[in-house]
């Protein structure tokens, strides 16, 4: 699994002109799934995201996690995170899992994140053409890949 995490002051996902989900202070998590992803990847990644200390404490130091600031999380599937641009200028997505594999992994990831955070997590619409709006707070953007644990 590969994720791009952005600390946001607000974010929303619109599908077909209708806002599907939105949050205020928290994290926007864009997630790409590959066929080799497992429940171990899901658990490790969820724990890592929930524990990331990227919110400022009273001294202005990034020392608090999303749970510490009563923040929210919005999760959006994004297969293009597995784009390969090695050959030519047209990206290849051969590492991205097909929907029949990706959807159950995505749903398990959302459930694990909800369990770890202790509250419902809004999402985008898997496979839909989505418009994602956000105000990146900082800016703070972090990329994590479960295959190299960084």
């Amino acid at each position: 699994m590969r994720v791009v995490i952005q600390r946001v002051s607000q974010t929303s996902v619109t599908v077909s002109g209708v806002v599907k989900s939105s949050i205020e202070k928290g994290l926007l998590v864009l997630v790409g799934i590959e066929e080799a992803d497992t429940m171990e990847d899901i658990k490790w990644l969820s724990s890592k995201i929930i524990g990331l200390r990227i919110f400022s404490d009273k001294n202005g130091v990034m020392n608090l996690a999303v749970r510490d600031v009563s923040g929210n999380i919005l999760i959006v599937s994004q297969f293009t995170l597995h784009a390969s641009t090695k050959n030519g200028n047209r990206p290849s997505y051969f590492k991205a899992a097909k929907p029949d594999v990706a959807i159950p992994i995505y749903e398990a990831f959302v459930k694990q994140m909800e369990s770890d955070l202790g509250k419902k997590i809004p999402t985008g619409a898997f496979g839909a053409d989505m418009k994602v709006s956000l105000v990146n707070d900082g800016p703070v953007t972090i990329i994590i890949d479960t295959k190299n644990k960084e």
Side-chain angles (χ1 to χ4, degrees), residues 66 70-73 110 113-121:
V66 66
S70 299
N72 295 297
I73 297 175
V110 172
M113 291 282 291
E114 289 176 337
S115 175
D116 290 347
L117 186 61
K119 61 178 156 180
K120 184 84 173 136
I121 293 179

Side-chain angles (χ1 to χ4, degrees), residues 71-144:
N72 295 297
I73 297 175
L74 174 61
I75 298 175
V76 176
S77 63
Q78 188 173 348
F79 76 94
T80 60
L81 291 178
H82 285 294
S84 173
T85 58
K86 186 174 182 177
N87 297 318
N89 291 323
R90 183 174 182 191
S92 169
Y93 303 105
F94 67 92
K95 286 185 75 176
K98 303 290 184 263
D100 61 320
V101 171
I103 291 171
I105 294 171
Y106 175 76
E107 290 172 349
F109 176 64
V110 172
K111 285 182 184 169
Q112 184 68 51
M113 291 282 291
E114 289 176 337
S115 175
D116 290 347
L117 186 61
K119 61 178 156 180
K120 184 84 173 136
I121 293 179
T123 65
F126 191 96
D129 180 21
M130 297 174 275
K131 307 302 180 215
V132 179
S133 300
L134 69 131
V135 177
N136 189 320
D137 181 17
V140 175
T141 302
I142 296 174
I143 300 168
I144 300 175

Side-chain angles (χ1 to χ4, degrees), residues 3-143:
V3 294
V4 173
I5 302 161
Q6 297 184 68
R7 185 180 75 185
V8 297
S9 57
Q10 64 184 40
T11 186
S12 65
V13 177
T14 302
V15 179
S16 300
V18 177
V19 175
K20 180 183 184 314
S21 300
S22 65
I23 64 166
E24 296 297 319
K25 181 179 185 175
L27 301 174
L28 169 62
V29 178
L30 305 173
V31 59
I33 297 165
E34 59 182 281
E35 298 214 9
D37 291 329
T38 66
M39 197 62 199
E40 180 182 323
D41 292 310
I42 291 168
K43 289 178 180 178
W44 180 86
L45 186 57
S46 179
S47 176
K48 180 63 82 172
I49 293 168
I50 299 297
L52 274 179
R53 298 184 328 176
I54 58 173
F55 292 88
S56 297
D57 64 17
K58 64 182 178 179
N59 298 316
V61 177
M62 285 196 292
N63 205 26
L64 301 173
V66 66
R67 179 181 4 225
D68 301 328
V69 298
S70 299
N72 295 297
I73 297 175
L74 174 61
I75 298 175
V76 176
S77 63
Q78 188 173 348
F79 76 94
T80 60
L81 291 178
H82 285 294
S84 173
T85 58
K86 186 174 182 177
N87 297 318
N89 291 323
R90 183 174 182 191
S92 169
Y93 303 105
F94 67 92
K95 286 185 75 176
K98 303 290 184 263
D100 61 320
V101 171
I103 291 171
I105 294 171
Y106 175 76
E107 290 172 349
F109 176 64
V110 172
K111 285 182 184 169
Q112 184 68 51
M113 291 282 291
E114 289 176 337
S115 175
D116 290 347
L117 186 61
K119 61 178 156 180
K120 184 84 173 136
I121 293 179
T123 65
F126 191 96
D129 180 21
M130 297 174 275
K131 307 302 180 215
V132 179
S133 300
L134 69 131
V135 177
N136 189 320
D137 181 17
V140 175
T141 302
I142 296 174
I143 300 168

